[in-house]
Amino acid sequence: MRYLLVFVILFSGNLTAQSVAVLKYNGGGDWYGNPTSLPNLVKFCNTNIQTKISTQIPNVEPSSPELFDYPFIHMTGHGNVYFNAEEAQNLRNYLLSGGFLHIDDNYGMNQYLRKELVKIFPDKELQEIPATHPIFSIVFPFPDGLPKIHEHDGNRPQAFGLFEDNRLVLLFTYESDLGNGWENPEIHNDPEEVRLKALKMGANIVTYAFQN
């Protein structure tokens, strides 16, 4: 309860200018990957679902108290991820206080990420999220669940989550590559319908994070 009160106090003065941030983690992975993806998602949300998200998107470190200023944190990359004890505890407090972390595997993050999530929640395991979960229909309908945006190994896209009192606090999107779909169209030359599908799913994630 104490952590929840802290989060509400920190965020209550900034309801009209919602903010998101990118997690600058350690370990050597490219936390800075897909630099145009989150700005494009913010623009899409502000235009299409009437959010008022700041277009200034900062980087925030896992140990920083500034983590609590953002109801939505995005994390991506290809390689190694490492959280020390202080970072893991701060992330845990943030998520239990009402924060939301979306981790999008840009390809190659999965094997490194899972062992670090145990540091944050040693008592929880990632669960596959069914297509019936509200995150797949809160704004735009995705009756089959997480969409496939980029092909890597021929595996189906999967959404995994960590829950606290039935609230999804951490979303891990795997074998989908939503962030690539959010990037500027000339970077990956995705068909417009594929890019739009990625942005709509992203808008669902943002909406869920802001409303839960």
Side-chain angles (χ1 to χ4, degrees):
M1 182 62 70
R2 176 170 61 90
Y3 294 129
L4 179 59
L5 179 62
V6 169
F7 187 81
V8 170
I9 291 172
L10 286 170
F11 186 59
S12 61
N14 196 30
L15 291 176
T16 58
Q18 299 156 328
S19 298
V20 301
V22 172
L23 191 68
K24 182 181 178 182
Y25 57 88
N26 294 308
D30 54 339
W31 60 267
Y32 46 82
N34 292 350
T36 67
S37 64
L38 204 53
N40 285 337
L41 178 60
V42 166
K43 291 175 186 175
F44 179 86
C45 289
N46 287 347
T47 300
N48 292 277
I49 60 171
Q50 289 71 57
T51 52
K52 297 179 180 179
I53 307 172
S54 173
T55 55
Q56 301 299 312
I57 302 174
N59 305 319
V60 61
E61 297 183 356
S63 61
S64 174
E66 293 178 3
L67 202 68
F68 292 80
D69 292 342
Y70 307 101
F72 177 94
I73 301 289
H74 178 69
M75 176 179 174
T76 191
H78 293 84
N80 193 37
V81 177
Y82 175 75
F83 299 133
N84 63 31
E86 179 187 4
E87 292 169 336
Q89 185 62 54
N90 199 48
L91 283 166
R92 178 184 175 90
N93 292 345
Y94 164 76
L95 294 171
L96 293 179
S97 300
F100 185 92
L101 176 61
H102 172 221
I103 307 171
D104 188 47
D105 189 349
N106 204 201
Y107 189 59
M109 175 189 276
N110 181 55
Q111 61 179 315
Y112 304 105
L113 174 70
R114 286 177 177 266
K115 61 181 177 58
E116 297 304 300
L117 294 183
V118 174
K119 296 178 181 178
I120 302 173
F121 287 111
D123 55 336
K124 299 183 187 294
E125 293 184 2
L126 285 171
Q127 304 175 39
E128 185 164 4
I129 303 171
T132 54
H133 190 276
I135 203 165
F136 297 118
S137 59
I138 195 166
V139 182
F140 299 104
F142 287 88
D144 298 323
L146 188 68
K148 186 78 166 180
I149 305 304
H150 272 189
E151 186 63 67
H152 292 297
D153 295 325
N155 297 321
R156 67 182 179 90
Q158 293 177 277
F160 296 98
L162 294 176
F163 294 82
E164 176 67 19
D165 293 332
N166 294 318
R167 181 178 76 91
L168 178 64
V169 299
L170 182 151
L171 171 67
F172 175 42
T173 47
Y174 176 63
E175 286 289 338
S176 172
D177 225 338
L178 289 174
N180 276 9
W182 301 342
E183 285 226 86
N184 288 348
E186 68 274 10
I187 294 178
H188 299 290
N189 296 311
D190 289 323
E192 183 58 27
E193 61 269 22
V194 171
R195 189 166 180 267
L196 184 59
K197 185 165 55 174
L199 288 164
K200 285 181 174 180
M201 185 65 231
N204 277 14
I205 296 170
V206 168
T207 302
Y208 181 88
F210 284 175
Q211 292 185 2
N212 291 273

